[in-house]
Amino acid sequence: MSAAESWAEGPRSATRERRREGRARRDARLEVAGLVAAVVFVVLASVARALSNGPLSTADETAHLDYAYEVWHGHLPVFERGIQFHPAFGAVPPVQWVSQHPPLFYALLAPVVGPLIDGNHLYIAVIAGRFEDALIAGTTVLATWWAARQVRPGDRVVAVVAALATASTGMLILVGGAIYNDLVNVTFCALAIGLAARALRTGLTTRLVVAAALVGVGGMLSRLVFAVFLLGLVVALFVAPTRAVTARGAWGRRVLAAVVVGVVAALGAGWFYLRNRALTGNVAGSHPAWAAAHLGRHDRTASSVVTDKGFWEQLFAVYRAGLPTTSPLTWVLLLAPLVLAAVVGVVVLVRTLRARGRRHGSAAADAQPAEVDGVVGRPLWGVPAGWWVAAMMVAVFVLTVFLEVRFVMGGGAPNTRYALPLVPVTAIVGAIGLTALGRIAGTVLTVLWSICAVVAYSSAVGLVTPVGPAIALTATRGDYVVSLVVFAFMVVAAVVLRLRRPPAVGVDAGSESDVHADHGGRPDGA
């Protein structure tokens, strides 16, 4: 290059850099706009559902409200003692059949609903409790977005579409518009997925281990099913890259991190499960004999459960909102993105295996230690971090389904709410499927999916028959219209972001070098 060409290239290079920085800032603003819209939408949608659904319309909701009321008065509920307040409306359970759940959600709810019930403002207490759950639904969307950013670092599109998919989940809106303890648990499940992915991609740090310990305690104090996600998080810490001079030091740090998180969770939440065992004979706090005698539930074989079409329809109809569990729209919303993601995963796997075959001659060189900030490190057993993340998400999905099969085998019912902990997994994977194709195809798929989702959501909101005070119907209609506007804005933000920067296809979209730039290189693992 001549001196004149070199002189001219300097300004052009600076201009290109400024354009890249400006584009990155605009993409960041679009991501924030889409995320805020998703959070606001799910809160508005949950509020619309809360106002249009009869107060204490299920015995479960009454039992959850009673649990919070008992916590307000300084004690935990007991199954045989039944409901401690006397509602003038709604369904009342014969026993306190949610007393087996840990108290975190109810401790958050108690200061809101307790004084209102004591003041004989039961309807207001129900609505206030539902509104609090609507806000918790917003935290679920936020946590899933953050988890997606850890699963696919650098991929703003997948993160925003994952937030969109979570906010549009019909069952999440139904629960967000009622008084149930599920969404606090789902929020912790999403955080556990994000922390596990971050550990696998960037390595162990003190801050990450502390965060994992806090999430572990919070999750175990929300619902027992979180144990699956805690296990996934602990295993991720055990195999995560870590900086250490020797292999023994690396394994020591991994073991210490995993043990700390597990022990802190046990110390923080174990007391409640010991109480369950003392009261019922099992840590789950279940009463199978009572359920068999009063609800007609009996043990089933594994084959009768897994071959029962109704089991799968009832469990995974998470997008149904007000639609029947057998509605085709429900299954298009769930399965179409997952099938696309599975196809993309197979394509990426085949390409990866072929590329590794071509690089076989250089494998020995790739396995040599690399220096990171002056510390010797090795690739984690030669397995890319993205594949560890994918394996973790598959494992928590399979184990959660396995637990639900076991629950139904013991006489439980396959309630759709019990699949909500898997929503962060299906939302993130589904977002990858919807956005993995070309810009135009990905945009069209996202828009079509969103239209189907808003149709399902609309089926859950009553806009004709008043429920409660007349003003509730007017408020519902206004809230519903605003929610549609916010929904449209959310979709536009996702689509514009998708058109501006198509994400890379693959398990490790968002290069590892970018992820570890702050660490001076790739993390080490012995």
Side-chain angles (χ1 to χ4, degrees), residues 410-437:
N415 195 308
T416 311
R417 289 191 295 111
Y418 301 158
L420 282 176
L422 297 176
V423 165
V425 176
T426 58
I428 295 170
V429 175
I432 293 172
L434 287 173
T435 61
L437 303 181

Side-chain angles (χ1 to χ4, degrees), residues 107 183 188 389:
L183 297 188
F188 280 112
V389 173

Side-chain angles (χ1 to χ4, degrees), residues 350-398:
V350 171
R351 288 179 180 177
T352 301
L353 293 177
R354 287 179 177 177
R356 286 198 170 192
R358 289 193 296 268
R359 295 198 306 265
H360 182 71
S362 62
D366 292 341
Q368 293 301 312
E371 189 165 304
V372 181
D373 291 346
V375 180
V376 174
R378 295 184 178 87
L380 184 65
W381 296 340
V383 179
W387 293 108
W388 278 115
V389 173
M392 178 268 298
M393 295 178 72
V394 170
V396 297
F397 187 96
V398 171

Side-chain angles (χ1 to χ4, degrees), residues 22-35 156 493 497:
R23 185 184 185 90
R25 286 194 296 269
R26 289 189 292 273
D27 287 348
R29 287 195 291 267
L30 277 171
E31 182 185 17
V32 171
L35 172 62
R156 300 182 188 277
L497 190 59

Side-chain angles (χ1 to χ4, degrees), residues 86-337:
H86 305 287
F89 52 81
V92 179
V95 290
Q96 204 347 323
W97 57 28
V98 303
S99 59
Q100 77 277 12
H101 292 303
L104 177 59
F105 168 74
Y106 309 101
L108 297 174
L109 193 64
V112 175
V113 301
L116 291 170
I117 295 176
D118 282 340
N120 294 319
H121 304 296
L122 183 57
Y123 176 78
I124 298 176
V126 173
I127 298 302
R130 289 178 173 183
F131 283 6
E132 181 173 341
D133 223 4
L135 294 175
I136 295 173
T139 70
T140 302
V141 172
L142 184 62
T144 302
W145 165 83
W146 182 81
R149 291 290 264 142
Q150 311 313 309
V151 170
R152 297 269 291 200
D155 197 335
R156 300 182 188 277
V157 181
V158 164
V160 170
V161 175
L164 185 158
T166 305
S168 305
T169 303
M171 182 52 61
L172 190 146
I173 293 171
L174 295 181
V175 173
I179 300 176
Y180 289 96
N181 66 352
D182 300 85
L183 297 188
V184 168
N185 176 60
V186 180
T187 298
F188 280 112
C189 290
L191 292 175
I193 290 171
L195 286 170
R198 188 173 184 85
L200 290 167
R201 288 191 179 279
T202 66
L204 296 178
T205 64
T206 301
R207 181 180 299 178
L208 189 147
V209 174
V210 171
L214 294 175
V215 167
V217 173
M220 291 306 298
L221 285 174
S222 59
R223 284 182 77 100
L224 179 58
V225 71
F226 181 80
V228 170
F229 293 80
L230 178 61
L231 177 62
L233 179 56
V234 168
V235 172
L237 296 175
F238 185 72
V239 301
T242 179
R243 294 174 188 177
V245 175
T246 65
R248 179 178 296 177
W251 281 112
R253 292 189 179 189
R254 289 175 178 140
V255 171
L256 178 62
V259 169
V260 165
V261 172
V263 169
V264 169
L267 292 176
W271 63 270
F272 182 82
Y273 297 101
L274 292 176
R275 174 183 183 269
N276 270 353
R277 185 172 181 180
L279 292 176
T280 68
N282 60 85
V283 295
S286 59
H287 294 78
W290 187 94
H294 297 86
L295 302 178
R297 297 178 181 176
H298 301 283
D299 291 351
R300 299 173 59 181
T301 63
S303 60
S304 70
V305 174
V306 298
T307 58
D308 181 4
K309 180 183 177 183
F311 167 78
W312 300 105
E313 288 179 342
Q314 187 68 32
L315 182 62
F316 282 107
V318 291
Y319 285 102
R320 65 182 174 88
L323 300 173
T325 57
T326 55
S327 170
L329 196 61
T330 296
W331 301 103
V332 168
L333 286 167
L334 175 66
L335 296 179

